């Protein structure tokens, strides 16, 4: 039987597993050599947590007999621990990713608590979707969950930074949310809120109309009344400056044709 515990490189203080935008395992700043089934095993354990051997084997190799799936699992564990010693904790019945491994998907849960000085770095590291090109069911479900979590974190952080006067980074984060999901109202709301926090009412009205035209073109619906109240209620308190620059919303039926912007 293949011995799963091997004398691979000793665990280092800095071992990172990056799954957003693609798979990459870093040990001490250098890329560790893991491929194929070893990558799938590490990603599975990082996303699902500790698992029974039979469950992991059945999930990762669903189309082969149990004995063969378990043999493939043992080989993948050996490959992981050859790349970095102790990378996979292999018990008799359960396996888990070693506790010293930092997984970048975990940063999404704490995105809204990151300081403005670190926000741009987090944005760079977490750009992209989870494991693009992977189509396992356990990846697809987690990809959708993390997509929503990332968008919510970007929006929340943008609003928090705007409240602190960190407008440049706030704009970057809010526009990144819009770039990822152009039809998401809460993303546009974050952009508009940053404009209003900086007293740029005209910019807020312009962004509202861009979003409204996009929704009408793509879905034939209007933005929510709450978003309109946010924009035009603030504009009314500021006087007529916004109305002097841009038209107020017209009924949906009044638009016969609309060009995309």
């Amino acid at each position: 039987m293949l011995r799963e515990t091997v004398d691979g490189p000793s665990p280092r203080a800095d071992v990172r597993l990056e799954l957003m935008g693609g798979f990459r395992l870093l040990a001490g700043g250098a890329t560790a050599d893991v491929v194929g089934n070893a990558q799938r095993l590490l990603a599975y354990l990082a996303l699902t947590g500790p698992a029974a051997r039979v469950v992991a084997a059945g999930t990762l190799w669903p189309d082969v007999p149990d004995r063969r799936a378990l043999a493939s699992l043992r080989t993948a564990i050996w490959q992981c621990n050859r790349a970095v010693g102790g990378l996979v904790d292999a018990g008799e019945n359960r396996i888990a990713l070693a506790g010293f491994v930092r997984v970048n998907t975990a940063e999404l849960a704490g995105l809204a608590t990151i300081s403005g000085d670190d926000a741009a770095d987090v944005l760079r590291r977490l750009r992209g979707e989870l494991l693009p090109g992977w189509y396992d069911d356990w990846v697809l479900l987690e990809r959708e969950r993390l997509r929503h979590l990332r968008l919510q974190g970007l929006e929340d952080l943008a609003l928090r930074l705007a409240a602190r006067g960190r407008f440049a980074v706030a704009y970057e984060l809010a526009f990144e949310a819009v770039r990822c999901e152009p039809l998401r109202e809460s993303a546009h709301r974050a952009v508009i809120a940053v404009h209003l926090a900086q007293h740029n009412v005209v910019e807020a009205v312009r962004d509202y109309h861009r979003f409204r035209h996009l929704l009408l073109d793509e879905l034939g619906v209007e933005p929510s009344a709450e978003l309109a109240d946010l924009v035009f209620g603030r504009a009314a308190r500021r006087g007529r400056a916004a109305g002097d620059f841009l038209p107020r919303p017209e009924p949906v039926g009044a638009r016969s044709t609309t060009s995309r912007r």
Side-chain angles (χ1 to χ4, degrees), residues 32-131:
D33 184 21
V34 290
V35 296
N37 287 335
Q39 288 188 358
R40 296 179 70 242
L41 175 60
L42 291 176
Y44 174 78
L45 293 176
L47 295 175
T48 65
R53 282 179 177 264
V54 292
V55 173
T59 302
L60 294 173
W61 295 275
D63 300 324
V64 300
D66 291 347
R67 177 174 293 184
R68 184 176 172 186
L70 287 168
S72 297
L73 177 63
R74 288 193 294 271
T75 300
I77 294 172
W78 177 82
Q79 292 171 337
C80 293
N81 288 337
R82 182 183 62 175
V84 176
L87 188 59
V88 175
D89 292 330
E92 183 178 354
N93 297 312
R94 294 179 65 81
I95 58 175
L97 191 65
F100 59 78
V101 181
R102 293 186 298 157
V103 184
N104 68 346
T105 54
E107 295 178 84
L108 287 172
L111 186 61
T113 64
I114 297 172
S115 69
D117 293 335
D118 297 330
D121 184 50
V122 171
L123 177 62
R124 176 186 59 80
R125 289 201 310 270
L126 300 184
R127 182 175 284 119
E129 67 178 9
L130 175 71
L131 297 171

Side-chain angles (χ1 to χ4, degrees), residues 18-259:
E18 299 183 355
L19 304 178
M20 301 298 292
F23 182 98
R24 191 163 68 143
L25 177 66
L26 300 172
T31 301
D33 184 21
V34 290
V35 296
N37 287 335
Q39 288 188 358
R40 296 179 70 242
L41 175 60
L42 291 176
Y44 174 78
L45 293 176
L47 295 175
T48 65
R53 282 179 177 264
V54 292
V55 173
T59 302
L60 294 173
W61 295 275
D63 300 324
V64 300
D66 291 347
R67 177 174 293 184
R68 184 176 172 186
L70 287 168
S72 297
L73 177 63
R74 288 193 294 271
T75 300
I77 294 172
W78 177 82
Q79 292 171 337
C80 293
N81 288 337
R82 182 183 62 175
V84 176
L87 188 59
V88 175
D89 292 330
E92 183 178 354
N93 297 312
R94 294 179 65 81
I95 58 175
L97 191 65
F100 59 78
V101 181
R102 293 186 298 157
V103 184
N104 68 346
T105 54
E107 295 178 84
L108 287 172
L111 186 61
T113 64
I114 297 172
S115 69
D117 293 335
D118 297 330
D121 184 50
V122 171
L123 177 62
R124 176 186 59 80
R125 289 201 310 270
L126 300 184
R127 182 175 284 119
E129 67 178 9
L130 175 71
L131 297 171
W134 294 38
Y135 300 105
D136 306 81
D137 289 342
W138 53 272
V139 174
L140 296 177
L141 291 173
E142 191 67 8
R143 180 181 296 155
E144 186 66 9
R145 185 184 76 86
L146 290 175
R147 184 181 73 85
H148 285 287
L149 190 59
R150 179 173 185 264
L151 287 168
Q152 190 65 58
L154 288 169
E155 295 163 7
D156 291 346
L157 183 56
L159 296 176
R160 187 162 55 86
L161 291 174
R164 296 178 181 177
R166 303 295 299 276
F167 297 114
V169 182
Y171 278 123
E172 182 182 9
L173 295 172
F175 279 115
E176 172 66 6
V178 171
R179 185 193 68 80
C180 292
E181 200 62 57
L183 295 176
R184 183 179 169 96
E185 179 169 313
S186 57
H188 287 272
R189 180 187 296 271
V191 173
I192 289 170
V194 177
H195 285 317
L196 294 176
Q198 207 171 8
H199 308 297
N200 292 327
V201 178
V202 172
E203 292 293 339
V205 174
R206 285 174 175 159
D207 196 271
Y208 174 87
H209 280 291
R210 282 193 291 265
F211 176 55
R212 178 174 181 269
H213 293 164
L214 180 62
L215 277 186
L216 287 170
D217 286 345
E218 297 292 337
L219 303 176
V221 299
E222 291 273 2
S224 69
E226 291 79 6
L227 185 62
D229 289 343
L230 173 67
V231 176
F232 295 106
R234 182 70 63 89
R237 289 192 294 272
R238 290 280 173 179
R240 300 187 55 181
D244 291 340
F245 282 90
L246 294 167
R248 295 296 295 270
E250 71 272 17
V252 176
R255 287 170 49 87
S256 57
T257 60
T258 305
S259 59

